[in-house]
């Protein structure tokens, strides 16, 4: 999945959007029958590629709220992208004109 924060330079906001994008078109209706303990016992492996400059601001508790069931384990690696938005807007919380872009991979298991 792909997510960005165009204003505010939030790696958390970009990661939330990337995780939503990664799972939004997937459906796993048979998990109760296939996984012992059903949905609550799902283990999610989430790899986030985050620009190193913005890693410190990443709040994984907020990102984990994206997933409606299961337990998420996060692996954070350098990656993503910083691209110019072309304008910094103070009232939107901009510190500069960086757009923070995060990539996400979500694997489901038990």
């Amino acid at each position: 999945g792909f997510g960005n924060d165009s204003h505010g330079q939030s790696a958390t906001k970009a990661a939330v959007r990337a995780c939503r994008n990664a799972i939004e078109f997937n459906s796993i209706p048979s998990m109760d029958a296939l996984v012992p303990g059903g949905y609550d016992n799902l283990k999610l492996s989430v790899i986030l590629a985050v620009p190193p400059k913005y890693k410190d601001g990443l709040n994984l508790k907020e990102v984990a709220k994206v997933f409606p069931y299961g337990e998420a384990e996060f692996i954070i690696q350098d990656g993503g992208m910083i691209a110019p938005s072309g304008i910094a807007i103070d009232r939107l919380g901009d510190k500069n004109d960086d757009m923070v872009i995060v990539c996400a991979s979500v694997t489901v298991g038990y």
Side-chain angles (χ1 to χ4, degrees):
F2 160 90
N4 81 312
D5 184 21
S6 297
H7 296 286
Q9 295 75 45
S10 171
T12 300
K13 188 182 289 186
V16 164
R17 290 174 175 167
C19 289
R20 282 186 186 144
N21 182 247
I23 67 170
E24 68 186 339
F25 296 111
N26 294 291
S27 178
I28 46 177
S30 301
M31 285 300 116
D32 276 334
L34 297 173
V35 175
Y39 290 97
D40 291 334
N41 281 346
L42 286 179
K43 304 294 182 206
L44 307 173
S45 176
V46 182
I47 300 172
L48 297 174
V50 182
K53 178 179 176 180
Y54 290 102
K55 273 187 185 178
D56 289 343
L58 185 60
N59 181 338
L60 295 178
K61 287 184 181 182
E62 283 301 309
V63 178
K65 291 177 183 178
V66 169
F67 304 104
Y69 35 72
E71 180 182 334
E73 176 185 301
F74 292 95
I75 299 166
I76 311 304
Q77 62 187 34
D78 289 349
M81 182 185 293
I82 299 171
S85 69
I87 188 169
I89 302 172
D90 290 338
R91 72 177 181 276
L92 295 179
D94 280 337
K95 300 170 199 78
N96 53 51
D97 75 338
D98 288 353
M99 285 192 302
V100 178
I101 301 166
V102 173
C103 298
S105 170
V106 180
T107 306
V108 179
Y110 67 94

